[in-house]
Amino acid sequence: MSSSDLTCRQAVELVTDYLERTLSNRDRVRFEQHLVVCAACSRYVEQHRVITRLARELAVDELGARRDELLAVLAEVGGDPE
Amino acid sequence: MAAVRRGDRDAIADLVDRYGSAMVRLARVYVGEQQVAEDVVQEAWIAVLRGIDRFEGRSALKTWIFRILVNTAKTRARRERRSVPFSAVGDADGPTVEPERFSPDGEAWAGHWSQAPQPMAPEERLLAGEVRAQLADAIRGLPPAQRAVVGLRDVEGWSADDVCELLELTPVHQRVLLHRARSALRRQLEPYLEEPQS
């Protein structure tokens, strides 16, 4: 194994940079080469992707009944006095 | 925008519907309770409407609105004497995966997984199940700065640039917080992600 090969311990710290596309070209190539030969790290990356996708599902309505009350309050708000 | 300045109710309702829920979620990072967060959001919207004539368009409207939200939330948090240590100085340092998961130095395959992540259950099953509630809990348990970044990036879908602008983070710092947050979430959710072994 050459010294430029990543260990898994190193690879897991690069996952976010990889997914954000902020790795240098050289590091991105090393990372991708590691994934090719390491199913465990490929799974790890996919877990990060899944967490990110699942998080989107949490963008639910938080106002509920309060929405109409809020709009009623805002209807009474004037602009700044001149 | 002009419609909002005019006080057009539909335009205002449109803005509230677009940003209101995200504002509640971000307010909760600072003030904790749902009820207080909703109060903060209402206070922020009042400030938005009162100040809309002064909005010069130097930032995006969204960032301007959320900056008002953050300032309102911080003020409220201070009033309630809620300490919200927002700097990363509170956050733990070090590896984001427990060292025991990898073979130690000096052994064969040093630095490689000794306890690898297991195959995942299909995503449809994850969506239907408990994982969503577990994820919400896990996000709530994150340190505030990590919680804010992962909330805005991954729950709300904001760009890295917008998050950096709102939270006044460098791009590197934002990525570090995002990395630590996602890694912590993955670690907590790992048992729920796995395909159940029979």
Side-chain angles (χ1 to χ4, degrees):
Chain A
M1 200 162 36
S2 86
S3 63
S4 74
D5 289 348
L6 290 175
T7 65
C8 306
R9 195 190 290 136
Q10 291 168 328
V12 298
E13 299 304 341
L14 297 179
V15 171
T16 303
D17 284 326
Y18 174 68
L19 294 174
E20 292 283 281
R21 300 183 213 271
T22 50
L23 287 179
S24 66
N25 275 336
R26 181 176 172 271
D27 283 344
R28 180 182 53 78
V29 167
R30 288 170 78 210
F31 188 80
E32 285 172 346
Q33 283 177 342
H34 180 80
L35 293 188
V36 166
V37 299
C38 185
C41 282
S42 297
R43 242 176 251 153
Y44 185 79
V45 173
E46 191 54 28
Q47 286 180 339
H48 267 248
R49 284 201 181 100
V50 166
I51 296 282
T52 302
R53 286 201 290 268
L54 287 175
R56 211 74 187 82
E57 300 292 315
L58 299 180
V60 297
D61 173 59
E62 303 278 352
L63 292 176
R66 185 100 188 227
R67 175 198 183 265
D68 289 344
E69 186 189 315
L70 172 59
L71 291 177
V73 166
L74 294 182
E76 301 299 310
V77 173
D80 265 344
E82 285 303 321
Chain B
M1 253 299 291
V4 174
R5 287 194 216 260
R6 272 200 313 267
D8 181 305
R9 294 204 192 183
D10 287 336
I12 293 169
D14 193 67
L15 272 188
V16 167
D17 287 339
R18 198 179 315 164
Y19 297 134
S21 293
M23 289 164 74
V24 171
R25 280 187 285 273
L26 185 57
R28 274 200 307 250
V29 177
Y30 293 88
V31 299
E33 285 172 36
Q34 179 70 16
Q35 190 55 49
V36 180
E38 290 178 12
D39 291 346
V40 162
V41 168
Q42 179 165 300
E43 222 181 297
W45 277 116
I46 292 170
V48 164
L49 287 196
R50 289 212 174 112
I52 195 80
D53 286 339
R54 276 180 271 118
F55 173 63
E56 290 171 24
R58 245 178 272 161
S59 65
L61 181 60
K62 176 178 87 174
T63 317
W64 184 75
I65 289 172
F66 276 81
R67 180 68 57 74
I68 291 174
L69 187 271
V70 166
N71 289 337
T72 309
K74 280 181 176 171
T75 304
R76 183 64 180 261
R78 270 198 303 270
R79 231 171 32 229
E80 316 242 321
R81 287 186 187 74
R82 237 188 99 89
S83 93
V84 182
F86 217 79
S87 76
V89 173
D91 291 346
D93 222 328
T96 55
V97 180
E98 309 94 310
E100 312 84 73
R101 300 290 297 263
F102 305 104
S103 294
D105 290 342
E107 293 200 2
W109 298 109
H112 289 260
W113 291 96
S114 57
Q115 293 171 58
Q118 294 305 298
M120 272 191 293
E123 208 162 320
E124 317 85 61
R125 201 180 317 152
L126 294 176
L127 286 170
E130 283 214 334
V131 179
R132 190 192 313 204
Q134 295 293 342
L135 180 58
D137 276 347
I139 289 176
R140 265 192 288 275
L142 291 174
Q146 289 181 25
R147 182 177 167 190
V149 169
V150 79
L152 289 170
R153 289 298 313 275
D154 291 350
V155 177
E156 316 301 347
W158 282 32
S159 72
D161 284 349
D162 283 352
V163 172
C164 288
E165 190 183 339
L166 177 67
L167 300 180
E168 296 175 341
L169 300 169
T170 64
V172 170
H173 192 182
Q174 187 263 165
R175 269 200 310 280
V176 168
L177 290 169
L178 183 63
H179 180 66
R180 303 204 72 83
R182 284 182 182 166
S183 301
L185 296 176
R186 190 218 67 93
R187 186 170 63 245
Q188 288 181 62
L189 259 55
E190 187 170 24
Y192 303 96
L193 294 176
E194 290 168 4
E195 183 75 78
Q197 306 299 310
S198 53

Tab-separated table of all heavy atoms in Angstrom, chain B residues 144-163:
chain	number	residue	atom	x	y	z
B	144	PRO	N	-25.326	24.022	20.170
B	144	PRO	CA	-26.089	25.008	19.403
B	144	PRO	C	-25.510	25.350	18.030
B	144	PRO	O	-26.265	25.438	17.054
B	144	PRO	CB	-26.078	26.246	20.304
B	144	PRO	CG	-25.917	25.714	21.675
B	144	PRO	CD	-25.089	24.483	21.563
B	145	ALA	N	-24.203	25.578	17.946
B	145	ALA	CA	-23.640	25.987	16.658
B	145	ALA	C	-23.795	24.872	15.620
B	145	ALA	O	-24.156	25.130	14.462
B	145	ALA	CB	-22.173	26.376	16.821
B	146	GLN	N	-23.551	23.626	16.019
B	146	GLN	CA	-23.726	22.498	15.096
B	146	GLN	C	-25.193	22.360	14.715
B	146	GLN	O	-25.530	22.094	13.553
B	146	GLN	CB	-23.259	21.203	15.746
B	146	GLN	CG	-21.766	21.076	15.923
B	146	GLN	CD	-21.396	19.743	16.544
B	146	GLN	OE1	-22.113	18.756	16.435
B	146	GLN	NE2	-20.259	19.722	17.226
B	147	ARG	N	-26.068	22.536	15.711
B	147	ARG	CA	-27.493	22.380	15.463
B	147	ARG	C	-27.984	23.427	14.468
B	147	ARG	O	-28.760	23.117	13.561
B	147	ARG	CB	-28.233	22.500	16.790
B	147	ARG	CG	-29.714	22.316	16.664
B	147	ARG	CD	-30.367	22.366	18.018
B	147	ARG	NE	-31.805	22.501	17.904
B	147	ARG	CZ	-32.612	22.752	18.910
B	147	ARG	NH1	-32.124	22.876	20.135
B	147	ARG	NH2	-33.904	22.873	18.713
B	148	ALA	N	-27.512	24.660	14.629
B	148	ALA	CA	-27.926	25.726	13.715
B	148	ALA	C	-27.446	25.444	12.294
B	148	ALA	O	-28.204	25.600	11.326
B	148	ALA	CB	-27.401	27.072	14.193
B	149	VAL	N	-26.193	25.030	12.165
B	149	VAL	CA	-25.640	24.805	10.818
B	149	VAL	C	-26.335	23.635	10.132
B	149	VAL	O	-26.793	23.753	8.991
B	149	VAL	CB	-24.115	24.576	10.878
B	149	VAL	CG1	-23.582	24.078	9.542
B	149	VAL	CG2	-23.404	25.864	11.280
B	150	VAL	N	-26.463	22.500	10.804
B	150	VAL	CA	-27.077	21.345	10.143
B	150	VAL	C	-28.565	21.611	9.901
B	150	VAL	O	-29.138	21.171	8.895
B	150	VAL	CB	-26.833	20.028	10.931
B	150	VAL	CG1	-27.772	19.880	12.125
B	150	VAL	CG2	-26.967	18.824	10.029
B	151	GLY	N	-29.197	22.362	10.795
B	151	GLY	CA	-30.599	22.722	10.586
B	151	GLY	C	-30.781	23.552	9.333
B	151	GLY	O	-31.629	23.247	8.478
B	152	LEU	N	-29.976	24.605	9.197
B	152	LEU	CA	-30.124	25.486	8.039
B	152	LEU	C	-29.693	24.786	6.747
B	152	LEU	O	-30.349	24.927	5.716
B	152	LEU	CB	-29.311	26.761	8.248
B	152	LEU	CG	-29.868	27.721	9.302
B	152	LEU	CD1	-28.863	28.828	9.599
B	152	LEU	CD2	-31.199	28.330	8.848
B	153	ARG	N	-28.607	24.018	6.795
B	153	ARG	CA	-28.099	23.349	5.577
B	153	ARG	C	-28.977	22.184	5.177
B	153	ARG	O	-29.401	22.087	4.029
B	153	ARG	CB	-26.662	22.838	5.789
B	153	ARG	CG	-25.579	23.891	5.873
B	153	ARG	CD	-25.435	24.736	4.599
B	153	ARG	NE	-25.397	23.940	3.387
B	153	ARG	CZ	-24.298	23.365	2.871
B	153	ARG	NH1	-23.133	23.521	3.461
B	153	ARG	NH2	-24.374	22.652	1.769
B	154	ASP	N	-29.239	21.287	6.110
B	154	ASP	CA	-29.847	20.011	5.734
B	154	ASP	C	-31.361	19.962	5.926
B	154	ASP	O	-32.053	19.332	5.143
B	154	ASP	CB	-29.182	18.862	6.504
B	154	ASP	CG	-27.743	18.632	6.050
B	154	ASP	OD1	-27.346	19.233	5.020
B	154	ASP	OD2	-27.021	17.862	6.712
B	155	VAL	N	-31.885	20.610	6.964
B	155	VAL	CA	-33.346	20.625	7.127
B	155	VAL	C	-33.954	21.684	6.199
B	155	VAL	O	-34.882	21.420	5.448
B	155	VAL	CB	-33.761	20.893	8.595
B	155	VAL	CG1	-35.276	20.987	8.729
B	155	VAL	CG2	-33.210	19.812	9.512
B	156	GLU	N	-33.384	22.899	6.244
B	156	GLU	CA	-33.976	23.980	5.453
B	156	GLU	C	-33.451	24.026	4.021
B	156	GLU	O	-34.064	24.659	3.163
B	156	GLU	CB	-33.713	25.350	6.110
B	156	GLU	CG	-33.928	25.421	7.612
B	156	GLU	CD	-35.353	25.070	8.067
B	156	GLU	OE1	-36.264	25.009	7.231
B	156	GLU	OE2	-35.542	24.828	9.277
B	157	GLY	N	-32.299	23.407	3.759
B	157	GLY	CA	-31.750	23.385	2.402
B	157	GLY	C	-31.022	24.651	2.002
B	157	GLY	O	-30.864	24.924	0.803
B	158	TRP	N	-30.541	25.426	2.948
B	158	TRP	CA	-29.802	26.649	2.620
B	158	TRP	C	-28.442	26.315	2.021
B	158	TRP	O	-27.858	25.265	2.297
B	158	TRP	CB	-29.568	27.485	3.883
B	158	TRP	CG	-30.737	28.271	4.352
B	158	TRP	CD1	-32.063	27.950	4.247
B	158	TRP	CD2	-30.703	29.513	5.055
B	158	TRP	NE1	-32.827	28.912	4.832
B	158	TRP	CE2	-32.023	29.891	5.333
B	158	TRP	CE3	-29.654	30.355	5.468
B	158	TRP	CZ2	-32.348	31.073	6.005
B	158	TRP	CZ3	-29.971	31.524	6.142
B	158	TRP	CH2	-31.298	31.876	6.407
B	159	SER	N	-27.931	27.282	1.234
B	159	SER	CA	-26.582	27.139	0.698
B	159	SER	C	-25.556	27.406	1.794
B	159	SER	O	-25.859	28.072	2.798
B	159	SER	CB	-26.364	28.135	-0.437
B	159	SER	OG	-26.265	29.453	0.092
B	160	ALA	N	-24.344	26.934	1.574
B	160	ALA	CA	-23.259	27.192	2.527
B	160	ALA	C	-23.020	28.698	2.649
B	160	ALA	O	-22.814	29.221	3.751
B	160	ALA	CB	-21.993	26.479	2.080
B	161	ASP	N	-23.068	29.408	1.513
B	161	ASP	CA	-22.831	30.859	1.542
B	161	ASP	C	-23.851	31.585	2.415
B	161	ASP	O	-23.500	32.470	3.195
B	161	ASP	CB	-22.909	31.431	0.114
B	161	ASP	CG	-21.665	31.110	-0.695
B	161	ASP	OD1	-20.675	30.642	-0.107
B	161	ASP	OD2	-21.690	31.331	-1.926
B	162	ASP	N	-25.117	31.219	2.286
B	162	ASP	CA	-26.158	31.887	3.073
B	162	ASP	C	-25.989	31.596	4.563
B	162	ASP	O	-26.200	32.474	5.398
B	162	ASP	CB	-27.552	31.440	2.607
B	162	ASP	CG	-27.970	32.110	1.307
B	162	ASP	OD1	-27.258	33.028	0.857
B	162	ASP	OD2	-29.012	31.703	0.745
B	163	VAL	N	-25.611	30.372	4.894
B	163	VAL	CA	-25.407	30.021	6.305
B	163	VAL	C	-24.234	30.804	6.876
B	163	VAL	O	-24.297	31.337	7.982
B	163	VAL	CB	-25.189	28.505	6.470
B	163	VAL	CG1	-24.777	28.157	7.898
B	163	VAL	CG2	-26.458	27.751	6.097
